[in-house]
């Protein structure tokens, strides 16, 4: 339902940008978020942006390094990741949710998901 692109193998300190394109209706009615899943760890909230684009939310581990944005003409959400660290290595998933703002960091509220993309950060 959601189509992701970006990701890859980079060195610590490098930058990457992930993209997530949604159908028009999904994009205009849902909050859009990014989560990541690393081996042996639980799914972690990374960032989200409200359906209006007025509010953005970040997980503590990425604040100040990652930026979420949206392009309303392309129905696409971006995750700009700067100063990447080895701990950022994971499969990243974008999702869409109709939930309230308070529940945006809860992955269980997301109805639609992208296919996932691997991000690997080497030392």
């Amino acid at each position: 339902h959601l189509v992701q692109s970006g990701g890859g193998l980079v060195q610590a300190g490098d930058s990457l940008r992930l993209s997530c394109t949604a159908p028009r209706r999904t994009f205009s009615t849902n909050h859009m978020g990014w989560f990541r899943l690393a081996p042996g760890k639980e799914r972690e909230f990374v960032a989200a942006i409200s359906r209006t684009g007025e509010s953005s939310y970040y997980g503590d581990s990425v604040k100040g390094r990652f930026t979420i944005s949206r392009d309303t003409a392309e129905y696409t959400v971006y995750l700009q990741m700067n100063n990447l660290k080895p701990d950022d290595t994971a499969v990243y998933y974008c999702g869409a949710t109709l939930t309230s703002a308070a529940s945006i960091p809860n992955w269980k509220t997301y109805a639609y998901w992208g296919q996932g993309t691997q991000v690997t950060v080497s030392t």
Side-chain angles (χ1 to χ4, degrees):
H1 195 82
L2 308 179
V3 179
Q4 297 179 219
S5 62
L9 172 63
V10 296
Q11 293 185 329
D14 286 351
S15 298
L16 277 177
R17 189 178 76 163
L18 305 182
S19 302
C20 174
T21 301
R24 179 191 61 80
R25 181 173 178 82
T26 300
F27 182 86
S28 62
T29 59
N30 283 254
H31 308 304
M32 303 291 293
W34 290 93
F35 292 80
R36 64 189 183 186
L37 186 60
K41 297 183 179 180
E42 296 186 353
R43 193 173 313 209
E44 179 185 9
F45 171 71
V46 176
I49 190 164
S50 64
R51 64 174 67 91
T52 62
E54 293 179 350
S55 299
S56 56
Y57 312 83
Y58 295 94
D60 289 340
S61 62
V62 306
K63 284 180 181 177
R65 300 187 298 122
F66 291 12
T67 303
I68 190 169
S69 61
R70 64 202 297 265
D71 183 333
T72 56
E74 299 293 330
Y75 311 127
T76 297
V77 174
Y78 300 101
L79 183 68
Q80 178 66 42
M81 305 184 293
N82 297 330
N83 189 21
L84 283 161
K85 303 176 180 180
D87 283 348
D88 295 318
T89 295
V91 177
Y92 285 70
Y93 296 90
C94 69
T97 180
L98 291 170
T99 193
S100 63
S103 296
I104 281 176
N106 183 353
W107 66 268
K108 296 179 180 179
T109 69
Y110 286 68
Y112 305 107
W113 291 96
Q115 78 274 23
T117 186
Q118 178 70 46
V119 172
T120 303
V121 184
S122 64
T123 56

